[in-house]
Amino acid sequence: MVSNDELNVPQEDLVQAWQQTLPERLHGGDQAEIMLDEADPNALRVHIRTAGHQMMEFDFAVRYVDSREIAIQLTDVERDGQTIDERGEIVQELIADYRRHLHETAQALHHYTHS
């Protein structure tokens, strides 16, 4: 199903909205940084640092398929600054958790992105 429901929000405004909304959905102490994707005006780059002793960092590309739906791609996982294999069970659980938080953030911003 193809949608003609395009995203019509300036990318800088979208970054700001995500920067305000995503941290509310993360676990206490986790930190998120939202950046523009300069190659794609409908996409954002999301960098999440886990709280606690794990010292893990996750990078996601979040692309708006239309004004409501996002596609998420994991681009990197690091521990102590070193890229790690993301196939481990604990890492997979964290990835699933963060993907859910990204979808929740997009849902929370429907009023903003879907005009």
Side-chain angles (χ1 to χ4, degrees), residues 14-60:
L14 196 57
V15 167
Q16 189 172 25
W18 272 75
Q19 191 68 49
Q20 291 173 346
T21 307
L22 179 58
E24 297 169 358
R25 280 149 179 78
L26 296 177
H27 298 292
D30 286 356
Q31 298 177 335
E33 182 180 359
I34 318 299
M35 297 153 282
L36 318 158
D37 183 327
E38 295 183 13
D40 184 348
N42 291 330
L44 306 169
R45 297 288 173 177
V46 179
H47 180 81
I48 299 175
R49 284 180 292 284
T50 60
H53 303 293
Q54 297 168 337
M55 303 282 290
M56 295 181 71
E57 300 182 26
F58 297 81
D59 291 317
F60 295 93

Side-chain angles (χ1 to χ4, degrees), residues 48-80:
I48 299 175
R49 284 180 292 284
T50 60
H53 303 293
Q54 297 168 337
M55 303 282 290
M56 295 181 71
E57 300 182 26
F58 297 81
D59 291 317
F60 295 93
V62 176
R63 183 174 194 289
Y64 274 84
V65 178
D66 59 29
S67 71
R68 293 185 221 182
E69 185 181 346
I70 60 171
I72 301 169
Q73 179 181 2
L74 177 69
T75 57
D76 191 32
V77 179
E78 294 183 359
R79 177 181 281 133
D80 295 324

